Amino acid sequence: RLELVESGGGSVQAGGSVRLSCEASGYTDDSACMGWFRQAPGQEREGVAALYTGAGSTYYADSVKGRFTISRDNAKNTVYLQMNSLKYEDTAIYYCAADPCTLVRQGVLTIADITTGEPDFATWGQGTQVTVSS
């Protein structure tokens, strides 16, 4: 069984930076794809960034391109989300997610396919709050 634990959330002023961490434990073979999602009050959960370890491919939502960077330290089974130039509208609960992404590994789908729309990730963390004050 795979478990995910996020950390690093908090309050920051607009223009500041925050780095989120998500440590995977247990059956880490089910984490070939990992992603970050967020949900603001009254809004649907949206995919922010994701990566597929096998090909090194990544996905970023248009709203965070150039500001957020997703990375992974395989030795630590940890994925990070570096968030720079934060805006008020980045305020949300941020969730880490992982998936064995069999169809991505087979080339049937892309990392963007499983991150956008209805997110297709099997395992989720508990979420961490990021609050950006203007």
Side-chain angles (χ1 to χ4, degrees):
R1 177 186 168 190
L2 177 67
E3 293 187 352
L4 305 174
V5 178
E6 302 106 330
S7 60
S11 297
V12 63
Q13 289 191 331
S17 297
V18 168
R19 188 178 81 157
L20 303 181
S21 300
C22 173
E23 183 176 1
S25 61
Y27 192 64
T28 56
D29 284 358
D30 281 346
S31 63
C33 288
M34 296 192 75
W36 288 96
F37 297 78
R38 67 186 180 187
Q39 188 166 20
Q43 298 187 21
E44 294 186 351
R45 188 173 298 188
E46 66 166 338
V48 174
L51 62 81
Y52 165 47
T53 301
S57 53
T58 56
Y59 163 83
Y60 292 96
D62 289 341
S63 58
V64 307
K65 281 181 182 176
R67 300 188 299 122
F68 290 11
T69 302
I70 188 171
S71 61
R72 180 170 182 163
D73 184 334
N74 289 322
K76 296 182 178 179
N77 290 320
T78 299
V79 66
Y80 304 97
L81 184 67
Q82 178 67 45
M83 304 188 293
N84 299 328
S85 301
L86 283 162
K87 304 176 182 180
Y88 174 77
E89 50 264 39
D90 293 319
T91 296
I93 299 174
Y94 283 73
Y95 298 89
C96 174
D99 196 87
C101 60
T102 302
L103 294 181
V104 175
R105 294 162 71 179
Q106 293 174 342
V108 176
L109 296 176
T110 67
I111 187 65
D113 290 332
I114 68 169
T115 307
T116 55
E118 188 69 25
D120 190 14
F121 282 70
T123 304
W124 293 80
Q126 80 286 354
T128 185
Q129 177 71 46
V130 174
T131 302
V132 184
S133 57
S134 56

